[in-house]
Structure formats: structure tokens, C-alpha cells
Amino acid sequence: MNHILRLGIPSHVLSSAKTPRAKSWLAVVLATVLLAGCGGGSGAQPEAPGTTPEPTQAPQPSLDPSPSPEPTPEPTPGSTPEPTPEPTPTPEPVVLAENVAPGRSSSIAISSDDRKIVLANREKNSVSIIEVIDESGADSENLLAEIKVGTEPRYVALSPDDRHAYVSNAVDGTVSVIDIHARPPSPLGEPIAVGTEPRGIVVSPNGKYIYVANFTEGTVSVIASASLEVINTVDVGGNPMAVAMTNNEDDDDLDEYVYVVRYFSEVIDPLNRPDGFNDAKQAKVVYFTVGNSLSNTDVAEYTVTPLTNAGFAADRRQFCEKTRVALQEAGTVFFNSGDAGDGNGAGALKNEVFCPDIEDIVIRDDGEIANAEQGAYPNNLFSAVVRNNTLFLPNVGASPEPPVKFNVNVQALLSMINLATGSDRSMNLNSLIKLENQPENPTQSLDRVFGNDIVAIDVDRAGENFLLVSRGGNYVLRASWNNGNLRIGAGENSVVRFKTGNIPNGIVMNRSGTRAYTNNEVNTSVTAIDLESNQVLKQDISASDPPVPGTQAHRELLGKLVFYTALGTPDVFDTDNDGSFDIAVRDIDPLSFRNKASDNGWSSCASCHEDGHSDNVTWIFPTGPRQTLPLEGTFAKGNINDQRILNWNAVRGSITDFNNNAIGIQGGLGFASNVKGEDKTREVFNHGPVSGVSDALDAMTEWVANKVRAPIMPVKTNAAALQAGRAVFESFCGSCHSGPKWTKSSTARYQTNPTFTVNPLGSDFFTGISPVDPNLTVVGPQILSVGNNDETVTFLENVGSLMADSILEIRGAGAIAGQSTQGFNSLSAQGAFNVPSLLGVGISAPYLHDGRAMTISDVYAVHTLPDWSNQTIEEVVSDPDSLQNLTDFLLSIDDDTPIIDF
């Protein structure tokens, strides 16, 4: 079920923060394509859950520092940093005080006396203050206050004197300041307007300055604590998420370093090594001193390079001509062999881009081609912490090369930058976890649950004990630092995990390293952990009341849990058949349903669709390269019946269809295997039932439809240019990108969804299946067009983006009708694609189905206009100013943008 610019804004505009406003071979486009990248089921028979394959003889990844490019000098404190994007700059050693916790951004913070925690309740638009140690020194769970703040609070930080809490409100574009000492604790004045979609927030060691990362704006706001005003804005580029800061424990904040982590990685060499390769991208961390940030906006950068060996391997036998021929001679029937299976499928459309050795003819399971070393690049960097003179960066590693399979595509990486040398390295926690023994009772043990979405980290002040949060795994992993390496005890079967409440998103450790607390987003609760005895003290200390069972909010929250869990949930939420979901969210134990979402907690829908958005990765699917699609354009807001036909090839008709991804790609059982004792898994197929298969799938549909919103884009100051760009858009783009979803693709345009009564990719695949609606034109499982009242609406449009000679245009190795599919022809009719939504386009680069276009401007040179003799956009709209206006308009599109109505 998984998967889907550097914007500057003048500082004087920051005071006006934005708020939410109102039959044929072509069928091979298959069930394998995802809603977006990381999940599109291949149709292959999955491995049995609980037996995560070990398809590799590859050695464990080295944890030793690897050489980095020749460094360049880094500015000394007080000087102006020069931007140094390449090569990685080498700073002088950062001075860090011993046993002092440098600043970091998290959704949960602890007071300096270790007695109170403050956490952001994203689901409740509030902040809670909980006394966790009482006056006698005993553990407590006393909810002192819950204070309403802005919409979608994400991160929280405390002033050094514990008097004030600073909270970033994502939707409002503000920072709330809470006076904790007030009785009762309450907001202090009006929220501070910062940039759009603020995320990470950190306070300088002496409390003088607050730094806030503005996610969609690519900036950091600098707030003076004395005046609670934004005094400067630093352009950091990309989409900043986490912020960390040094602490040398002196009285001067000006010499401290601020580290800002860009959430998405960047393509290194777009021309020669586009996204789609495991080494195509690198991560970036921007840094500057406090002193520099007060007077200018120059920054320097660190680079985090791809991991060469992630500790897992891929089967590439169907990507090499000689092994393909050998496989065919041994009995493999390729799709291109036809219905009778007597053709030369092995030789058809061969492509050896992903063949590690074109001379190797060994097809044994233990051969080198069947065990090709798999790398990974860092992506989706959620958090950052400084310890041991090192910046630690947990992230979701991406290995987009084929085949699309859970244990070789998404990894739990911990990347590190040595702040003394500038060198970087990454390790894959999953390569360590695989050494664990499989538990006898997997639904009662967290043993060998993989590191799904490591989203948060904290370390004790000595820099020796690490805690990492697996969000989809519902656990905290304990690790230790030993001679420059991170160890979890997997080889000794001594891994320590702490079970948390549902979907933890943050963690904090007390000063002495004896207690830790997690913020559990879905349960709106805190888990308290005793680090001395390695026990969970309380799994769910209430921070706020969850929605009441039976309410729509409760249904949607359950849907979020289904979307985010890598373990599982029950298939049935309505236990008394009254139409209402009556199971309380805190009563659901995902571990009891382990292996439903994925094999051993490997991944979740959110692994590639954080917040429902895109991970911006181009995955090499059996149908070819597919850039992850954001989900914000899936439904028209307020109308669950107006849904875009799904994925790039229009082969799926509902969120329910993606249950097959949990099975075919993520190795799980799915969310329809036990519906009151009945296995309804086979009822789910492409363009089959939209709802009613299981409560879990219905809840997830409702969450996507009602709660996934478009990212809020920065306000443009030149209204005239924006209006001019809109006019260009209406003239040349509006006929395809219109309506509330910003795409003409819609299941609401035809009479019946479900479209088919039987699986179009089943036993009748080669004969073809007719749609229920006679007005539909279908090509295998694809919805090509619909004709009503003498009007035909074409959903699959050819805009010139399919380049047959592209090195990425390779068909993968899935299975359909019992045959291998490597080497089938075109993606869809004449290379056409399902018109994507433009919601979220401002943060979802690179663009097009194969991620070829790095920027919107790059799209113009490729994207043709069918109504204009198939000329490219830049040929039709040749005026540079008009193109720039069009770009500005496109990058401004969000839920508040007036729709184009055609």
C-alpha cells in the first residue's frame, strides 16, 4: 500500500502567515504499479510472513567512516559562511561541553529538573504538560494541563529556565509560546507568525534565540526570545524538517552552530545518473552559526552520501540477457511468450541496465546474479541530534532499483556526519536486526521487528546510550555507542525494545538517562520507560482524550493507524454490526496483528507517503519507472465519491485495491484476511470493490479522503504575476488539470466503480474483461476513457514524457498469470499516462513519471500539449516572463487556490 525548489520569501512578508482557506498486451501495466513508488504490488506470490527472506550473501555494511571528497575550509565563528554545496566542507572541531545535551527538535521535551514533559498533540491541536516525577521523586502520570494552540502542532522546545514552551503550528504558520509557570499554564500573547508549514524548533543554550524550520518555504525563522519577534530569515533551500544545535556551555550563544536537515534527498547527477538508481541521491544538512544568522542569510552545507552496501541483495536474474535465456531454457515462461507461452519471451525487449554482470549465466538461487548487492540512499530525514561530536540523522533509506520487494527497497538508516572532519557514513539498522532469531510467538514478541520509519532519536548526555523510535513498529530500540559504532546486540540476541502506544513520533530522555518518554501520535498518549530496569512503566499515559468511538473523527483516526502501522490492526472495527466503529484506538494492539501490514514490521503506507505526501522517489516498477504520487489529489475535498483513478497507469480504482500491495510487495497478509472469520483477500482486485471488504480498508479510505491535505505553499507577493500565470495555465493546462482535484481523472465520471466484476489480471487476462459501464474504453486493467452524451473524456494522455531510449525505461520482473513480465512493451496506450493532480506539486520534485525533470521549468522542455500539435510547453509558451509566471502559479497551488473549472 505504500506509495507516491528552493523558495525564498522576503522577511517583511513573514508577518502575514498563511492559514488554511476556505485485451491486449497493454494490460501488462498491471496490478504491480503502486499508488506511487514504494509499494506497487508485483502480483508475485509473497514470502510467508514471519520468514523475512535473506536473499543475500553480501557482507554486513561497514560502519567505519568512509573517505569523503577533499574538504574545503569552514567559516570560523563570527565570520560570514560561504555557501559550499560541493565538496563537503570540513569545519574546525565543534566545542561541546561534556554531559550537556545540545539542542534538538522533537515533538516532546522534558524540563531541566526531569519532573515535567511537554508534548505536542497533533491530532488535538493542543499541547499537554504532564508531571512524570512527583515531589517525592516517584514516577507519576499527572496531566497538569492541556492547552489549545494552533492547528497541527508538530514540534515543541523549552526555554532553559523551563518557563516557556515554544510550539510550531504547521497549518497556521505560527509558533505558540506557552507560559508554563502561569496558573493555569496558558499561551503568552498572540502566536508568532513565521514561514509556511513550520516543523523543527530549537532554542539556543542561553535561551536568547529560537530557530524554526519552515518546511514548504525552505527557510528558517530566527526569533528573539526577549521580544518574541522574527528578527531574521535564513534561506536554507529544500524542505527543512529537523533542527539541532551545539552547546559549549558558555554564556555566549553566538558561537553555537545550528544544523538544519533537508527532509528530501537530492539527485546528484540528473543527466547521467537519474533517480531510480540506488546511488542517485544524497542528503544535505545546512549549517551556520547563531552569530551569522542574525545578520545575513549565507549558509554552508554538509553532504550525506549513498550507502554502497545496505546488507541486503536483489535477485537480478531476469535483468540479464544470458540468465534470461538460461531461465527460459529451464522452463520459465516470460510474458512476451504470449498466451500459449511458446514465444521467445526471454529475448523480447531485453534491457540490462540493472544487470550486475552481463557475462554471468548462473541461474542458481545462490548465484551472484540472484544476490546482487543492494545500496541505498538517505531520504526522509525526520530528526537530528548532536553527540560524540557527531550529527546523527535517522531516515528512511530508499533503494529504488528493481525488483520491487520490501526488504530490498526501504531501509532503516542512521546516517552520521563527523563534525570534526566533515566525513559522513550511514548504517542500516535492518541489516543488524535480520541477525535476530524469529520469535516462536510473533504476535507476542517484538523480536525481529524491523526498523520501520525510524523517525526520532535521543541520546544520553554521555553520548553512550541511544534510543531510536520505530514509528510503524510501535517500539523504541535501545543501542549503545562503542568505539565509533552503534550496536544493538542483535548477534547476541540481546536486542532491547520497548513497546509504545500507537504510532510514536518523538522521544526524550531525562538528564540522568534513567527514564525516557515517547509521544504516541495516534493514541494521544505518552509511554514511560525505565532505562535502568529496561521496562515499560506505562504504555499509555493520557495526554488528551482520543475521539469518542462511533464518531467520524474516530473512524478517521483508525484509518490513520492502518495507514501508519507496519504491524497490523484488526480487519473489523464494528463488532456489533450497527455500522459504527466501536473499538477504542488505545485498545488496539498492533503487535497482536503482526504481519498483516508487512512482513515483520518492515514498512507501512507512510514509509513512502509521509503525511500522505510523496517521498519524491522514482521506483523501478515492473511497468517501468514510477515517481511516487502524492495522495492529496486523490479525492475532492468533502466528496469521497469524487476520486482520481489511481496511479500513473489508471489500473486501480480505490484505496482498497492497494491491500494487494501489503501482500505482494510488503510481504504481509493484508487487512482483509480475517473479516469475522472469513478471508476476503481475493475480493480485492484492480477496479474491484471500493468499500465493504473490511472496516480497516474503509477507515483508511476515509482518512485519505478527509484528512490528507495539500501542503500549504508560501504566499506570493506579486499578485499580478500570479494572476498572469493563472491565465497561462487556464489556456494551456486547464483542460487536463481542472476541478477540485486539479486533474480530470475521476471515477465519478463513469457509472460504476467497481469497474469490473472479476479480476482483470486473473485467469481471463489474455482474453480481456469487459467493464460494467459500456461507455468505458479499457485496455486490460487500465481505464483509457469514458464517453457520455457525445463527449469523450480521455484519462490516459500522451504528453511526450515516455522516452523509449531512456535508460530507466525497463520492464521489471513481476508475475502475472503465472508468467514473468520482464520485457513487456509500452506503459500504456501510445505511452500515455493517467493525468496526475497538481496538488502538492510545489514539494514533490522531481517530476514526470520517471522523475526526469528536476524542476517545473525542466518539465516545459519535455511536456507536450496534444491540443497544440504536440509541441512542448516551452515551444507554445515561448515568452520567458509567461513561463516564469506559470511556474510561480504552479508552485502556489494548494487547497486554498481557486480551482480551474472546465
Side-chain angles (χ1 to χ4, degrees), residues 33-50:
V33 185
L34 261 193
L35 178 56
C38 198
S42 68
Q45 292 300 312
E47 303 286 345

Side-chain angles (χ1 to χ4, degrees), residues 505-516:
N505 64 16
I507 189 166
V508 66
M509 197 184 304
N510 68 1
R511 293 173 62 91
S512 60
T514 59
R515 294 289 185 271

Side-chain angles (χ1 to χ4, degrees), residues 66-69 86 88 268 278-279 281-284 302-308 376-378 395 413 415-417 422-427:
S66 55
S68 59
E86 294 294 345
T88 300
I268 301 169
N278 293 341
D279 58 356
K281 286 183 172 180
Q282 60 191 3
K284 291 292 183 72
Y302 286 121
T303 295
V304 183
T305 54
L307 179 62
T308 302
Y377 61 68
N395 62 90
L413 300 190
S415 299
M416 293 158 268
I417 300 173
S423 63
D424 73 280
R425 57 188 172 123
S426 295
M427 62 175 294

Side-chain angles (χ1 to χ4, degrees), residues 573-640:
F573 296 142
D574 176 10
T575 63
D576 56 9
N577 298 317
D578 67 351
S580 174
F581 291 174
D582 47 65
I583 298 179
V585 67
R586 290 182 188 165
D587 289 342
I588 296 175
D589 178 9
L591 181 60
S592 298
F593 304 93
R594 175 174 174 169
N595 292 326
K596 290 183 70 66
S598 66
D599 187 303
N600 285 309
W602 198 285
S603 55
S604 71
C605 298
S607 297
C608 299
H609 293 285
E610 172 64 16
D611 287 340
H613 305 322
S614 169
D615 60 1
N616 296 358
V617 175
T618 302
W619 302 90
I620 308 302
F621 278 89
T623 45
R626 291 294 181 273
Q627 173 78 188
T628 302
L629 286 166
L631 303 188
E632 45 262 34
T634 300
F635 292 91
K637 293 307 172 190
N639 186 0
I640 199 171

Side-chain angles (χ1 to χ4, degrees), residues 61-231:
S62 171
L63 304 185
D64 295 327
S66 55
S68 59
E70 186 67 27
T72 56
E74 177 237 29
T76 56
S79 67
T80 300
E82 293 295 327
T84 53
E86 294 294 345
T88 300
T90 298
E92 295 181 4
V94 175
V95 178
L96 297 175
E98 293 184 2
N99 294 316
V100 172
R104 69 187 180 102
S105 48
S106 177
S107 66
I108 184 169
I110 191 166
S111 61
S112 58
D113 62 2
D114 293 337
R115 292 190 54 198
K116 301 181 184 69
I117 57 172
V118 182
L119 66 149
N121 302 313
R122 178 180 174 182
E123 290 297 319
K124 300 300 291 288
N125 299 328
S126 68
V127 166
S128 293
I129 303 173
I130 302 176
E131 181 187 59
V132 291
I133 301 293
D134 64 19
E135 292 182 354
S136 68
D139 291 298
S140 172
E141 49 187 82
N142 181 23
L143 178 59
L144 298 176
E146 181 180 0
I147 306 101
K148 286 295 181 181
V149 289
T151 307
E152 278 193 33
R154 295 294 188 97
Y155 289 80
V156 61
L158 295 178
S159 60
D161 61 4
D162 298 327
R163 183 172 186 87
H164 297 138
Y166 305 98
V167 187
S168 59
N169 304 309
V171 169
D172 295 353
T174 63
V175 168
S176 292
V177 183
I178 299 172
D179 186 345
I180 298 177
H181 287 187
R183 293 295 178 267
S186 57
L188 182 64
E190 292 297 317
I192 306 166
V194 289
T196 51
E197 293 272 12
R199 296 292 194 271
I201 185 168
V202 69
V203 182
S204 62
N206 295 298
K208 294 182 179 180
Y209 306 102
I210 302 103
Y211 291 81
V212 187
N214 303 309
F215 183 72
T216 58
E217 192 170 287
T219 64
V220 169
S221 295
V222 185
I223 301 172
S225 62
S227 63
L228 296 182
E229 294 179 344
V230 175
I231 58 173

Side-chain angles (χ1 to χ4, degrees), residues 269-392:
D269 185 356
L271 184 62
N272 299 303
R273 199 70 170 172
D275 193 14
F277 291 97
N278 293 341
D279 58 356
K281 286 183 172 180
Q282 60 191 3
K284 291 292 183 72
V285 176
V286 171
Y287 68 93
F288 47 83
T289 65
V290 171
N292 291 330
S293 71
L294 304 182
S295 58
N296 60 66
T297 59
D298 290 334
V299 300
E301 295 177 347
Y302 286 121
T303 295
V304 183
T305 54
L307 179 62
T308 302
N309 180 5
F312 292 85
D315 184 353
R316 299 285 177 82
R317 286 174 288 186
Q318 297 193 47
F319 295 89
C320 304
E321 180 179 5
K322 291 186 177 181
T323 50
R324 285 171 60 79
V325 172
L327 284 167
Q328 183 168 269
E329 292 174 347
T332 296
V333 179
F334 288 88
F335 177 84
N336 304 88
S337 301
D339 190 6
D342 56 1
N344 181 21
L349 300 171
K350 59 183 179 293
N351 190 317
E352 297 185 319
V353 169
F354 294 106
C355 175
D357 186 349
I358 62 175
E359 300 299 328
D360 195 336
I361 62 173
V362 177
I363 60 172
R364 298 192 312 269
D365 289 348
D366 61 352
E368 292 186 5
I369 299 299
N371 294 277
E373 183 180 285
Q374 194 84 339
Y377 61 68
N379 193 43
N380 292 15
L381 291 87
F382 287 91
S383 183
V385 66
V386 178
R387 293 292 192 282
N388 306 314
N389 215 32
T390 302
L391 184 65
F392 294 90

